[in-house]
Amino acid sequence: MGINKENILKRVELGHTYLINQIQANGKFIYQRNMDGTIKKGKYNMLRHAGCLWAINTVGNRPIENNIDGAFTYLNSKFKRFSEFLFLVDKGHTKLGGNALAILAHTQHCITESPYLIEGLVGGLKTFVYPDKLISKFEIIQDTFLETPFKSEYYPGEAALALVECGEPGAALDLIHPLYKQYECTHDHWVLQALGKLHPIYKGTRIIGKIIEDFTYKIAGTIMREEHLYAGRSCAIACRIEGMVPAYSVASNNTLKSQYAEFLTHWVDHLLAYQDMNTESVTYGAFWQDNKYRIDYTQHAICALHSYAKLLKS
């Protein structure tokens, strides 16, 4: 792989600094900006708030700053306890993906309360999981949880990654196995990341290890065959890189590794073109798409580039 590792890490650090600098005194991020750097109005998204905190602490290489603690305080203020469980509640709703990203954020955050919060959030996450279905979103009315028809194809993968990261690989497999049987996540970078974490745990097992490898190859193959679906979209490119790095690690033969490496090198080069490198700009270090800068674009980009840099090191 020919892309310079030091340059990639520098780009990661620029994006990391940009995200930190978007945290305001109230703990919220400046959610999005226009191409000229002015603040763009829009609905705030707590799932992406949590995702950015996960990214900041995942790729960061310096002590936690006070403004990051403020952003965690804001995140934690959105947690509500029902019985022994915690839920990330926003605008009267709680989502499977929101709970998952809140867990991921706290798995990387070193504060005394994190293990206690993770335990409650994991319990909350499991209430979305039924033997015959997976619920994406509840509306909460007077402490009553009402199932909604809302669905997200990425929530199961987010939940599986959260579970394996906090030491529950069996529960993660319970989410992934129905997806494997139905093959419902054709481009899911979250599932690929979960599979990459599960592979070292189960690769010595005949059945589960084979399922993990087979599912990885299927999703990676679809991503590589359908590149036209995300060309020109920085966030989609970053997400596919996030998934293809663990796919490379799972691959057991040199032919697949070579194909995955070529794919990664090509799209990392494309992704870097979407980063603002104007040192005089308020959006210096941020990634753009659709003529705007949004925090999750930079979140996914720095996670993708950071994981790619680690792959180069190995």
Side-chain angles (χ1 to χ4, degrees):
M1 298 182 186
I3 295 179
N4 183 276
K5 175 182 62 183
E6 287 71 27
N7 178 53
I8 296 292
L9 290 174
K10 174 62 176 176
R11 297 294 198 97
V12 170
E13 181 61 22
L14 291 176
H16 180 256
T17 299
Y18 172 78
L19 285 181
I20 291 172
N21 289 341
Q22 300 316 294
I23 301 172
Q24 303 170 93
N26 64 1
K28 294 175 70 173
F29 289 88
I30 296 174
Y31 184 61
Q32 56 189 358
R33 292 182 180 272
N34 295 304
M35 293 301 288
D36 63 2
T38 56
I39 296 174
K40 182 179 178 65
K41 292 183 178 180
K43 292 182 179 179
Y44 200 74
N45 186 302
M46 284 305 302
L47 186 153
R48 291 170 182 154
H49 179 108
C52 285
L53 290 176
W54 173 56
I56 287 170
N57 280 344
T58 296
V59 311
N61 55 4
R62 57 191 179 187
I64 295 172
E65 292 90 343
N66 288 335
N67 53 343
I68 298 178
D69 286 335
F72 268 97
T73 298
Y74 185 78
L75 172 65
N76 297 349
S77 75
K78 297 293 183 178
F79 295 160
K80 291 192 177 180
R81 181 168 293 279
F82 296 88
S83 185
E84 70 269 38
F85 303 140
L86 277 179
F87 297 86
L88 176 60
V89 178
D90 189 28
K91 305 178 185 71
H93 296 87
T94 185
K95 298 177 180 178
L96 174 63
N99 262 43
L101 267 296
I103 292 167
L104 288 171
H106 270 288
T107 60
Q108 297 295 323
H109 196 50
C110 300
I111 61 173
T112 305
E113 297 88 349
S114 287
Y116 166 74
L117 293 173
I118 289 170
E119 182 180 4
L121 288 166
V122 169
L125 184 149
K126 290 180 178 179
T127 66
F128 290 85
V129 183
Y130 286 73
D132 59 340
K133 64 179 178 179
L134 190 66
I135 296 172
S136 293
K137 178 180 176 180
F138 287 109
E139 181 178 6
I140 304 173
I141 300 178
Q142 295 181 345
D143 294 351
T144 299
F145 283 60
L146 303 175
E147 180 182 348
T148 73
F150 174 82
K151 299 292 180 186
S152 170
E153 63 179 304
Y154 295 116
Y155 283 3
E158 290 170 343
L161 180 59
L163 288 167
V164 71
E165 285 281 46
C166 62
E168 298 213 20
L173 276 174
D174 289 342
L175 285 176
I176 285 176
H177 194 240
L179 300 175
Y180 170 71
K181 290 193 294 185
Q182 300 165 23
Y183 191 39
E184 286 186 347
C185 38
T186 54
H187 287 260
D188 198 332
H189 56 289
W190 292 109
V191 169
L192 280 176
Q193 289 176 86
L195 291 168
K197 297 285 185 180
L198 289 166
H199 185 249
I201 300 171
Y202 291 104
K203 66 179 180 181
T205 63
R206 185 172 63 88
I207 296 176
I208 297 176
K210 178 68 170 63
I211 288 172
I212 290 169
E213 292 179 3
D214 187 50
F215 201 12
T216 297
Y217 301 153
K218 283 183 176 179
I219 299 175
T222 303
I223 287 174
M224 293 179 66
R225 286 193 304 272
E226 299 182 356
E227 294 176 282
H228 63 282
L229 295 179
Y230 47 92
R233 298 163 54 217
S234 68
C235 192
I237 292 169
C239 289
R240 274 49 183 193
I241 294 169
E242 284 182 285
M244 290 299 292
V245 168
Y248 177 91
S249 298
V250 170
S252 58
N253 68 70
N254 289 332
T255 299
L256 275 180
K257 283 189 176 294
S258 177
Q259 292 171 356
Y260 294 175
E262 183 178 352
F263 173 95
L264 284 164
T265 302
H266 173 79
W267 285 109
V268 165
D269 188 50
H270 275 253
L271 177 61
L272 292 173
Y274 290 91
Q275 189 173 27
D276 182 2
M277 295 300 292
N278 179 2
T279 58
E280 302 300 318
S281 172
V282 70
T283 52
Y284 178 46
F287 287 77
W288 63 272
Q289 179 182 297
D290 299 329
N291 293 314
K292 64 185 176 187
Y293 298 92
R294 204 171 70 190
I295 55 172
D296 57 312
Y297 301 163
T298 300
Q299 167 209 327
H300 285 290
I302 65 174
C303 284
L305 294 173
H306 183 256
S307 63
Y308 180 72
K310 289 171 65 178
L311 191 65
L312 291 178
K313 285 182 180 180
S314 67

